[in-house]
């Protein structure tokens, strides 16, 4: 078993992250496998070496270990470019110049027969209305400094593959999860796979990384359940192996509200400063202490 924790070094490690990391580490250790730490630093404008150092320090303090050196996404842009070229050559990508505002406006404009429809929200926000989607397959070289979207309808020429889930997903699912083409088209849509200012986008990079690192079990929050559907589709399109997915519950505050990524008052570093022990944190997120070394 090879699990991974892939934080973005754009802020402090908070309790929700710590839960995900400890769970992945516990699962790998229980199976005699390997836990891998990967640094998701594609967003160069927000990633900082100080945050990377801090999160490694926090993870070490929690009792986790991992093989070094860690894979850092910013060192692998050529691999993401190769995957984008492949999807482009398959006629599955198109450039998009819409801003968020353009998308909102396009969706709020009255559409024939749909004037009262509430715009659908997918894993990345509003489902793209298709404004820039070309009528025919684009040829020629892939535009390099452009936002590129996946043409979901074309990508679904074969139905999306089911995937295996060992956690509980958002609706208490386990086992093989079916995904329909209708769901992919209507509730996910033409997702962004490359960004003008960033190169590869998360969905593309994550499947390339998981395959490159031989990840067998992806342990992640159930907030990423819908995104997983995109990842298994991309794995099929790119001929990559499909890991088993374990979507875990989200850590909530005392009012039952999900901890926001930016809730820095839940930073592991602050609990450390206040004298908490790693065991205290395990208990707070509902993990058994017994797995600690
Ligand atoms: N960098 C992503 C995050 O922190 C990775 C999540 C995942 O792919 O499991 O949300």
């Amino acid at each position: 078993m090879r699990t991974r924790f892939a934080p973005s070094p754009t802020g402090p490690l908070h309790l929700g992250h710590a839960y995900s990391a400890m769970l992945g580490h516990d699962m790998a250790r229980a199976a005699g496998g390997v836990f891998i730490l990967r640094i998701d630093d594609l967003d160069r404008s927000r990633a900082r070496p100080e945050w990377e150092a801090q999160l490694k320090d926090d993870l070490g303090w929690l009792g986790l270990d991992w093989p070094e050196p860690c894979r850092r996404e910013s060192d692998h842009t050529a691999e993401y470019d190769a995957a984008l070229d492949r999807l482009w050559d398959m006629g599955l990508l198109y450039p998009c110049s819409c801003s968020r505002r353009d998308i909102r406006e396009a969706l709020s404009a009255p559409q024939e027969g749909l004037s009262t429809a509430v715009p659908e929200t997918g894993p990345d926000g509003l489902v793209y209305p298709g404004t820039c989607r070309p009528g025919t397959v684009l040829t020629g070289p892939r535009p390099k400094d452009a936002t590129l979207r996946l043409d979901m309808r074309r990508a679904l020429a074969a139905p999306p593959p089911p995937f295996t889930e060992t956690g509980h997903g958002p609706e208490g699912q386990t086992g093989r999860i079916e995904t329909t083409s209708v769901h992919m088209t209507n509730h996910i849509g033409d997702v962004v796979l490359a960004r003008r200012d960033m190169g590869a986008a998360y969905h593309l990079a994550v499947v390339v990384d998981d395959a490159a690192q031989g990840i067998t079990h992806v342990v992640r929050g159930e907030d990423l359940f819908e995104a997983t559907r995109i990842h298994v589709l991309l794995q099929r399109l790119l001929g990559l192996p499909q890991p088993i997915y374990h979507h875990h519950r989200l850590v909530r505050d005392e009012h039952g509200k999900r901890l926001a990524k930016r809730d820095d008052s839940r930073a592991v570093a602050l609990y450390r400063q206040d004298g908490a022990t790693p065991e205290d944190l395990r208990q707070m997120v509902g993990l058994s202490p017994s797995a600690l070394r």
Side-chain angles (χ1 to χ4, degrees), residues 6-280:
S8 304
T10 54
L13 186 81
H14 67 71
L15 264 191
H17 280 133
Y19 173 62
S20 205
M22 290 190 286
L23 186 63
H25 193 260
D26 284 0
M27 284 172 65
R29 184 182 287 170
V34 183
F35 167 82
I36 285 165
L37 175 66
R38 182 169 77 226
I39 306 298
D40 274 11
D41 63 347
L42 275 186
D43 186 351
R44 305 302 292 150
S45 64
R46 290 169 58 228
R48 298 270 178 281
E50 309 84 84
W51 289 126
E52 182 181 324
Q54 172 77 54
L55 68 88
K56 283 186 173 180
D57 193 63
D58 286 339
L59 293 171
W61 175 80
L62 285 166
L64 277 53
D65 50 29
W66 57 86
E68 286 279 2
C70 298
R71 180 178 169 106
R72 207 176 274 122
E73 287 187 325
S74 54
D75 295 333
H76 297 272
T77 49
E79 290 166 51
Y80 311 134
D81 280 343
L84 287 168
D85 283 342
R86 194 152 162 204
L87 295 172
W88 175 265
D89 291 343
M90 290 162 81
L92 299 180
L93 303 181
Y94 64 87
C96 174
S97 55
C98 293
S99 63
R100 271 172 218 254
R101 187 171 164 185
D102 295 334
I103 296 173
R104 263 199 319 272
E105 284 178 2
L107 287 167
S108 60
Q111 295 162 47
E112 219 181 305
L114 287 174
S115 50
T116 55
V118 179
E120 193 62 54
T121 305
D124 298 337
L126 290 172
V127 173
Y128 184 61
T131 319
C132 292
R133 187 190 305 128
T136 52
V137 171
L138 302 174
T139 50
R142 172 170 69 87
K144 287 289 143 46
D145 196 19
T147 289
L148 297 174
R149 290 185 180 273
L150 178 71
D151 187 327
M152 187 57 86
R153 286 179 182 79
R154 287 191 203 280
L156 290 171
F163 61 91
T164 304
E165 215 276 339
T166 64
H168 51 101
E171 284 125 37
Q173 291 137 314
T174 49
R176 296 279 280 176
I177 310 292
E178 292 290 339
T179 302
T180 65
S181 297
V182 171
H183 182 90
M184 296 300 281
T185 312
N186 295 350
H187 303 286
I188 292 180
D190 295 2
V191 288
V192 169
L193 296 188
R195 284 189 201 283
R196 195 157 49 97
D197 43 348
M198 256 172 67
Y202 162 69
H203 299 304
L204 190 277
V206 78
V207 300
V208 171
D209 292 335
D210 287 337
Q213 297 195 290
I215 302 301
T216 61
H217 291 69
V218 172
V219 179
R220 55 165 56 146
E222 64 184 18
D223 53 334
L224 287 172
F225 189 84
E226 288 298 308
T228 296
R229 299 185 199 272
I230 304 167
H231 303 165
V232 298
L233 176 66
L234 290 176
Q235 283 150 7
R236 167 179 293 184
L237 294 171
L238 293 167
L240 301 175
Q242 191 194 101
I244 291 169
Y245 287 89
H246 181 93
H247 297 93
H248 59 72
R249 64 179 166 79
L250 300 176
V251 177
R252 294 177 189 274
D253 68 13
E254 51 282 14
H255 309 294
K257 201 171 142 267
R258 185 184 138 191
L259 292 190
K261 270 211 171 131
R262 295 280 143 255
D263 186 356
D264 293 352
S265 67
R266 312 283 166 164
V268 170
L270 288 183
Y271 289 103
R272 286 177 70 177
Q273 255 173 38
D274 287 349
T277 65
E279 287 89 327
D280 293 336

